[in-house]
Amino acid sequence: MLAATTAVLTALVVSATAMAHEDARQQPRPGKGPVWTGAWGTAVQRPIEGSEDWGPNWSRQGFADQSVRQVVRVATGGTTLRIRLSNAYGTTPLRITAATVGRSAGDAQLWPGTARTLTFGDHPGTAIAPGRDIVSDAAPLSTSPLEKLTVTLYFADRTGPATFHRFTTATSYRASGSRLTDSGGDAFKESTNAWYFLSGVEVSGAASPQRDTAVAFGDSLIDGTGATPGADNRFTDKLAERLVAARRPPNVVNAGIGGNRILNGSPCYGDKATDRFRRDVLDRPGVRSVIIHLGANDIGAPEMGDPCMGSAPHVTARQIIDAHKELIRTAHAHGVRAVGATILPMKGALFPVYSEQGEKVRTAVNRWIRTSGAYDAVLDVDRALANPADAALPRPGYVSQDGLHPNEAGFHAIASAVDLNAL
């Protein structure tokens, strides 16, 4: 009996130790080892087929004996870096055969001599359990604020459907076989505007001495719909440039998903915001503030007739406000400042999203964000974009061709309206 009890206790200790090692590898405890901060990030989604509006993607088919090269721009620099990979929506273990990171030389090209092999627990590859994320070991690559990097992942085995980010203003590339250190990029003959498995790049070192990350969390306005592809002119890009020019933290990570809602999830537009908040905001290292822009799609969904939305009920201002309060409480419980962004003008949209009842809801939510004091600070997106002649409309020069989403000038106006001291 004693021997059996001892064996059980030993097994429990071994299991607990293994879990502790796994947790330590994924999220180092404060005060232990390097101090990490988010330099780039994205929110992940379920695999789904491409479309005419969102472009083709490889998420449903996944990868097998292929290399995927993804280009990202980091908001800050450091002396070492690591990457974060997600199998959040996988149903089987995801096997990464090998991975590299290096400096981008444009398109799929890699600056010769800059490729660094990434390891995972000192191994060249790793397996990520379904529903889990993992971080690589630190790699000795010095980086500078606003520079572009390439992350190349090689999958020898079939991955199955890929956890991914559906819409980006950047381009990802695919090649047959292992092309981890190819500098010319000629082998990467296929491309899409989505990111696969990659959810973060984090840096440490002299250039990033503090745990300072601001996460922009929300819908297509945050994600960058309307921005010029490849030009890095989303709201978060413009805000990062302001912070770099002012030589001050924090660093900016983008956790927006086009079409996302605060009250309801959908197959195409991500889990509802209250469900994904922990993973996409709080589980990142060094987060001290979050900017939240949500509610527009909840208001507009009943008008759109979009089957990708799934359930699209009419919502009240009180329902949206209560969901915002939930996000604020969760942020504050983790010591994170919450900045509320008012909902952008919707009347000028050239697709069905606006209604008089919806406008009443938007106005009420915006009034609450501005005046309730529930948020630690306010980013007034509505007023930054509004037409002086009709506040329900955007300035003509501030929106893209769809009449709703900001263009480069509009994103610049929003970034300029941020109180840097509020972050």
Side-chain angles (χ1 to χ4, degrees):
M1 181 71 175
L2 178 60
T5 302
T6 302
V8 171
L9 289 173
T10 300
L12 289 172
V13 169
V14 169
S15 177
T17 301
M19 291 177 65
H21 286 167
E22 176 69 9
D23 289 343
R25 184 156 64 94
Q26 295 197 26
Q27 201 65 271
R29 287 174 289 181
K32 302 292 184 181
V35 175
W36 294 98
T37 190
W40 174 87
T42 194
V44 293
Q45 302 170 247
R46 301 176 190 278
I48 192 166
E49 292 291 346
S51 67
E52 182 178 350
D53 291 336
W54 296 89
N57 71 72
W58 306 315
S59 67
R60 281 281 180 85
Q61 67 189 88
F63 309 97
D65 188 26
Q66 291 171 318
S67 297
V68 180
R69 179 163 288 177
Q70 305 180 72
V71 182
V72 301
R73 188 176 82 155
V74 293
T76 189
T79 56
T80 59
L81 64 76
R82 67 185 188 184
I83 66 170
R84 184 173 295 268
L85 299 172
S86 178
N87 192 26
Y89 298 107
T91 57
T92 59
L94 169 65
R95 301 190 182 282
I96 311 290
T97 308
T100 59
V101 62
R103 303 190 196 286
S104 171
D107 298 326
Q109 298 176 92
L110 171 70
W111 276 110
T114 67
R116 302 289 185 270
T117 298
L118 292 166
T119 58
F120 304 85
D122 295 325
H123 297 289
T126 190
I128 310 174
R132 299 295 299 273
D133 291 2
I134 198 169
V135 292
S136 71
D137 301 329
L141 180 65
S142 177
T143 53
S144 301
L146 307 181
E147 79 164 303
K148 290 186 178 182
L149 306 176
T150 65
V151 177
T152 309
L153 307 175
Y154 173 55
F155 308 97
D157 303 320
R158 186 168 299 280
T159 65
T163 294
F164 83 131
H165 183 83
R166 187 182 187 197
F167 165 77
T168 78
T169 59
T171 304
S172 298
Y173 305 88
R174 182 171 68 176
S176 297
S178 177
R179 301 288 182 175
L180 292 163
T181 59
D182 282 23
S183 59
D186 292 342
F188 293 89
K189 300 182 184 302
E190 300 175 276
S191 64
T192 71
N193 63 342
W195 285 307
Y196 304 88
F197 302 117
L198 182 66
S199 63
V201 175
E202 298 157 8
V203 298
S204 183
S208 181
Q210 303 180 61
R211 295 178 66 88
D212 282 325
T213 302
V215 180
F217 180 74
D219 48 33
S220 55
L221 180 133
I222 299 295
D223 202 4
T225 301
T228 305
D232 299 305
N233 58 19
R234 301 176 300 171
F235 154 63
T236 49
D237 298 316
K238 297 294 186 181
L239 179 56
E241 290 165 7
R242 274 195 71 195
L243 290 162
V244 169
R247 297 185 178 182
R248 60 186 297 174
N251 314 301
V252 183
V253 165
N254 189 311
I257 296 179
N260 198 228
R261 289 177 287 174
I262 197 168
L263 294 172
N264 291 281
S266 75
C268 301
Y269 305 123
D271 298 342
K272 66 179 181 178
T274 50
D275 285 350
R276 70 182 184 91
F277 188 68
R278 175 180 289 274
R279 181 191 67 211
D280 291 338
V281 177
L282 300 177
D283 287 350
R284 298 182 188 274
V287 176
R288 77 176 191 182
S289 60
V290 58
I291 302 170
I292 298 171
H293 181 273
L294 285 160
N297 291 305
D298 299 84
I299 294 169
E303 314 303 323
M304 295 181 198
D306 182 353
C308 248
M309 277 289 180
S311 175
H314 288 276
V315 300
T316 66
R318 177 50 53 192
Q319 288 175 305
I320 295 175
I321 289 168
D322 286 346
H324 274 268
K325 288 180 177 178
E326 180 181 342
L327 295 180
I328 295 168
R329 284 194 300 269
T330 304
H332 286 170
H334 290 79
V336 173
R337 289 175 55 81
V339 179
T342 54
I343 301 171
L344 82 170
M346 298 171 63
K347 187 177 179 181
L350 301 184
F351 58 94
V353 67
Y354 176 83
S355 69
E356 291 186 5
Q357 179 57 36
E359 180 63 11
K360 292 177 182 177
V361 174
R362 186 186 79 94
T363 300
V365 172
N366 282 353
R367 184 186 306 115
W368 175 82
I369 291 173
R370 290 188 186 106
T371 64
S372 68
Y375 275 106
D376 298 298
V378 174
L379 167 58
D380 209 328
V381 169
D382 179 34
R383 288 177 178 165
L385 296 179
N387 189 327
D390 183 348
L393 289 166
R395 286 177 180 263
Y398 278 6
V399 288
S400 60
Q401 292 181 351
D402 68 9
L404 176 70
H405 294 98
N407 59 14
E408 181 176 1
F411 284 127
H412 179 82
I414 298 169
S416 297
V418 175
D419 178 1
L420 300 186
N421 293 321
L423 302 180

